């Protein structure tokens, strides 16, 4: 019985010893002087240390602070150490810092969380870091510190100058982690003229080459460097193209009148900056005009170096009319444009007014006594005492026999007339009763009748 008890005790010790080496139990054994084995009553079954969560990849910009977190459950009396895997150096043991780098520290929070902090991160800090437990064998977990750097331009803004027709080379360079990409655009958002047949809205690449440059190639260009980590940066490159003046005038001829005001404008472009002047020409001399007579203003929406030169002429007099020429000159050449200011002569049209005839002028034709007697005989039915015609007056003039016939009487025509104020007249050319010759009596008679009608109405 005693022998069986000893075997049971030895077997139990070996079992616990094996479990202890695997981290499954914590036990203590003692050998007494009487060669009996006693097991400590504090031993108990427990779980081995394990990592609660995987370590995350941490991304920071150069100069910022990085924090890597390691969560371990059931550490108890085991030690936790941080190491730089790339350099195989120990950073800390527990909360004690081994490295001499003052930027690095370790904090333990809530018994199960260890935080590695690196301040003012540099590019050399990027890489893998491990969180280790001194178990047998040791266990560890690793995380990655990604250090990025937004683009930083290696040079500042610049200006490039070329002659018209030559090739212009624009470039920019920036340092960044990871390496940046480059995009070129025009500052005014117009298309980029790569050559005479190729125009693009943007260009990808560190270098931009413009072939056969002309005045439309000139202007500001932006090189934008980015690597996905803000902020992006840009470099401004100004391209100057030397070219002779280009000029557009107001027209070959401008017409206006004396006393009016007029503006003559020349639109020009040139580089380098030209000298400009307005010149007035007449038959006798050529006279450069003072700058106080014209203004020079930049023209929006046109290629660079484009300006308006406007000549103001107010309250024109006769001597202001003539030839005006705008002249633009620089080191590459000269251009001019002539406009003729021509006077418009306005002819005065006389104004006539309608006046009443003098009182002593009669509207009625004069007749001889014989004609008056003859007319009275035929128009005895007209009532001179009334303002209206008492009956329609019908003058029926016919050629041949009969001559002038009297109008119907009041009783005969009253039933058929439409209005008291209406006279129906039928006029025809007639011959004189005595000789058949043309007579003036019908025309005079017509004027008489019309005058009476106007007066009475």
């Amino acid at each position: 019985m005693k022998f069986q008890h000893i075997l049971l005790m030895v077997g139990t010790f070996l079992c616990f010893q094996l479990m202890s080496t695997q981290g499954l139990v914590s036990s203590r054994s003692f050998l007494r002087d009487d060669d009996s084995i006693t097991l400590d009553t504090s031993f108990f079954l427990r779980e081995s240390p394990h990592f609660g969560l995987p370590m995350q990849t941490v991304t920071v910009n150069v100069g910022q602070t990085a924090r890597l977190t390691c969560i371990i459950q059931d550490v108890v009396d085991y030690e936790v150490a941080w190491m730089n895997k790339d350099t195989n150096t120990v950073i800390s043991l527990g909360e004690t810092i081994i490295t001499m780098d003052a930027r690095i520290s370790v904090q333990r929070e809530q018994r199960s969380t260890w935080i590695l902090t690196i301040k003012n991160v540099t590019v050399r800090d990027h890489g893998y870091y491990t969180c280790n437990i001194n178990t047998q064998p040791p266990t560890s977990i690793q995380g990655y510190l990604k250090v990025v750097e937004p683009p930083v331009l290696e040079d500042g803004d610049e200006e490039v100058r070329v002659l018209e027709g030559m090739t212009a080379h624009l470039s920019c360079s920036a340092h960044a982690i990871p390496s940046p990409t480059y995009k070129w655009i025009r500052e005014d958002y117009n298309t980029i003229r790569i050559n005479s047949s190729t125009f693009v809205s943007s260009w990808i690449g560190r270098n931009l080459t413009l072939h056969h440059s002309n005045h439309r190639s000139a202007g500001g260009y932006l090189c934008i460097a980015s690597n996905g980590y803000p902020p992006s940066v840009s470099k401004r490159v100004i391209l100057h193209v030397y070219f002779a003046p280009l000029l557009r005038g107001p027209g070959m001829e401008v017409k206006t009148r004396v006393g009016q005001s007029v503006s003559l404008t020349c639109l020009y472009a040139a580089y380098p900056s030209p000298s400009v002047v307005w010149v007035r020409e007449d038959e006798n001399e050529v006279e450069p005009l003072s700058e106080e007579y014209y203004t020079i203003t930049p023209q929006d929406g046109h290629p660079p170096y484009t300006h308006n030169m406007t000549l103001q002429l107010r309250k024109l007099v006769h001597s202001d009319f003539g030839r005006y020429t705008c002249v633009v000159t620089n080191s590459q050449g000269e251009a001019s444009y002539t406009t003729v200011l021509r006077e418009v002569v306005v002819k005065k049209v006389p104004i006539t007014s309608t006046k009443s005839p003098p009182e002593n002028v009669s509207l009625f034709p004069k007749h001889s006594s014989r004609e008056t007697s003859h007319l009275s005989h035929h128009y005895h039915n007209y009532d001179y005492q009334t303002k209206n015609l008492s009956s329609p007056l019908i003058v029926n003039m016919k050629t041949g026999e009969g001559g002038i016939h009297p109008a119907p009487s009041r009783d005969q025509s009253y039933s058929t007339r439409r209005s008291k104020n209406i006279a129906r007249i039928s006029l025809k050319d007639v011959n004189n009763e005595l000789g058949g010759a043309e007579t003036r009596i019908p025309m005079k008679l017509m004027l008489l009748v019309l005058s009476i009608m106007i007066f009475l109405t």
Side-chain angles (χ1 to χ4, degrees):
M1 187 68 179
K2 186 177 179 180
F3 179 75
Q4 293 177 347
H5 178 70
I6 293 174
L7 290 177
L8 178 61
M9 294 298 293
V10 171
T12 303
F13 172 77
L14 293 176
C15 180
F16 277 93
Q17 189 69 18
L18 179 62
M19 295 175 65
S20 176
T21 60
Q22 298 299 321
L24 300 178
V25 298
S26 175
S27 63
R28 296 177 182 176
S29 60
F30 302 93
L31 181 62
R32 293 187 177 185
D33 294 339
D34 57 359
D35 296 332
S36 63
I37 298 175
T38 304
L39 296 179
D40 191 345
T41 58
S42 64
F43 74 89
F44 55 89
L45 293 174
R46 68 185 181 92
E47 295 182 359
S48 62
H50 62 279
F51 298 99
L53 294 172
M55 290 180 62
Q56 302 294 323
T57 297
V58 177
T59 302
V60 295
N61 289 349
V62 171
Q64 295 182 344
T65 298
R67 291 180 175 86
L68 291 92
T69 301
C70 179
I71 300 176
I72 307 174
Q73 302 293 341
D74 301 322
V75 175
V76 190
D77 53 355
Y78 287 94
E79 296 291 346
V80 176
W82 283 97
M83 294 182 62
N84 186 325
K85 186 177 180 180
D86 293 341
T87 60
N88 199 27
T89 56
V90 178
I91 297 174
S92 66
L93 183 60
E95 296 184 43
T96 303
I97 304 301
I98 306 301
T99 182
M100 301 300 294
D101 193 338
R103 300 176 302 126
I104 298 177
S105 62
V106 175
Q107 300 84 31
R108 183 178 182 181
E109 298 179 357
Q110 300 177 356
R111 297 180 58 85
S112 61
T113 303
W114 278 260
I115 300 175
L116 173 64
T117 302
I118 305 175
K119 297 180 180 180
N120 194 21
V121 171
T122 66
V123 176
R124 296 189 300 271
D125 295 324
H126 78 279
Y128 286 96
Y129 290 81
T130 60
C131 177
N132 305 271
I133 307 173
N134 65 336
T135 56
Q136 295 297 328
T139 57
S140 64
I141 189 174
Q142 69 179 13
Y144 186 73
L145 174 60
K146 184 177 182 180
V147 180
V148 298
E149 182 178 13
V152 178
L153 292 171
E154 296 180 356
D155 50 8
D157 297 346
E158 62 177 325
E159 297 185 8
V160 177
R161 292 176 171 83
V162 296
L163 293 175
E164 187 174 23
M166 296 183 62
T167 299
H169 299 278
L170 284 64
S171 64
C172 73
S173 179
H175 173 74
I177 301 175
S179 298
T181 58
Y182 302 90
K183 178 182 179 180
W184 290 88
I185 62 172
R186 279 192 64 111
E187 192 175 39
D188 55 10
Y189 298 102
N190 288 331
T191 56
I192 299 175
R193 182 184 181 275
I194 302 300
N195 53 48
S196 58
S197 60
T198 304
F199 294 82
V200 296
S201 58
S202 62
W203 182 264
I204 304 300
R206 180 176 174 179
N207 300 312
L208 174 61
T209 302
L210 306 176
H211 302 277
H212 308 293
S213 301
N214 62 11
H215 67 283
R216 293 190 177 276
S217 304
Y221 293 80
L222 295 178
C223 172
I224 303 173
S226 59
N227 66 346
Y229 298 98
S232 299
V233 294
S234 63
K235 173 184 176 179
R236 185 171 184 254
V237 180
I238 304 299
L239 174 61
H240 298 285
V241 179
Y242 290 84
F243 63 99
L246 301 174
L247 188 59
R248 187 174 67 192
M252 299 297 293
E253 185 179 71
V254 175
K255 296 181 179 181
T256 186
R257 300 191 302 271
V258 171
Q260 298 296 314
S261 298
V262 68
S263 297
L264 303 178
T265 300
C266 282
L267 178 67
Y268 71 89
Y271 186 84
S273 296
S275 62
V276 296
V277 65
W278 274 99
V279 176
R280 182 183 180 277
E281 306 176 38
D282 56 21
E283 298 177 355
N284 300 322
E285 61 180 350
V286 177
E287 176 189 4
L289 299 178
S290 172
E291 292 183 359
E292 65 184 16
Y293 289 103
Y294 56 88
T295 58
I296 298 175
T297 55
Q299 177 64 45
D300 295 335
H302 285 75
Y305 326 120
T306 303
H307 293 76
N308 283 322
M309 181 170 59
T310 303
L311 175 64
Q312 300 283 349
L313 300 173
R314 297 181 175 87
K315 296 183 179 179
L316 295 171
V317 296
H318 292 289
S319 60
D320 290 329
F321 295 95
R323 295 165 58 89
Y324 290 86
T325 302
C326 56
V327 182
V328 182
T329 307
N330 71 355
S331 61
Q332 305 300 306
E334 178 180 300
S336 63
Y337 191 96
T338 299
T339 298
V340 177
L341 183 61
R342 196 175 302 279
E343 180 181 1
V344 176
V345 179
V346 180
K347 295 182 179 180
K348 294 184 178 180
V349 179
I351 301 175
T352 59
S353 59
T354 304
K355 297 182 179 180
S356 301
E359 295 181 357
N360 58 351
V361 177
S362 175
L363 294 177
F364 303 103
K366 295 182 179 181
H367 302 282
S368 63
S369 58
R370 179 180 178 182
E371 291 175 342
T372 304
S373 175
H374 181 75
L375 291 174
S376 299
H377 173 73
H378 288 284
Y379 295 97
H380 59 275
N381 286 331
Y382 183 78
D383 187 357
Y384 287 96
Q385 302 300 321
T386 62
K387 293 184 178 180
N388 294 324
L389 291 176
S390 58
S391 63
L393 180 62
I394 299 176
V395 179
N396 189 14
M397 296 184 176
K398 299 181 181 179
T399 59
E401 297 181 357
I404 300 176
H405 300 275
S409 64
R410 182 193 303 266
D411 297 334
Q412 292 174 344
S413 60
Y414 183 81
S415 60
T416 59
R417 63 193 174 104
R418 296 182 180 179
S419 172
K420 294 181 179 181
N421 297 327
I422 297 178
R424 289 173 291 180
I425 303 173
S426 175
L427 298 178
K428 293 185 180 180
D429 293 337
V430 297
N431 295 329
N432 196 318
E433 294 180 357
L434 299 177
E438 186 177 356
T439 180
R440 295 181 179 273
I441 294 177
M443 182 58 65
K444 294 180 179 180
L445 187 59
M446 179 186 69
L447 293 175
L448 175 62
V449 173
L450 290 178
S451 299
I452 295 172
M453 291 175 60
I454 294 173
F455 176 78
L456 294 178
T457 56

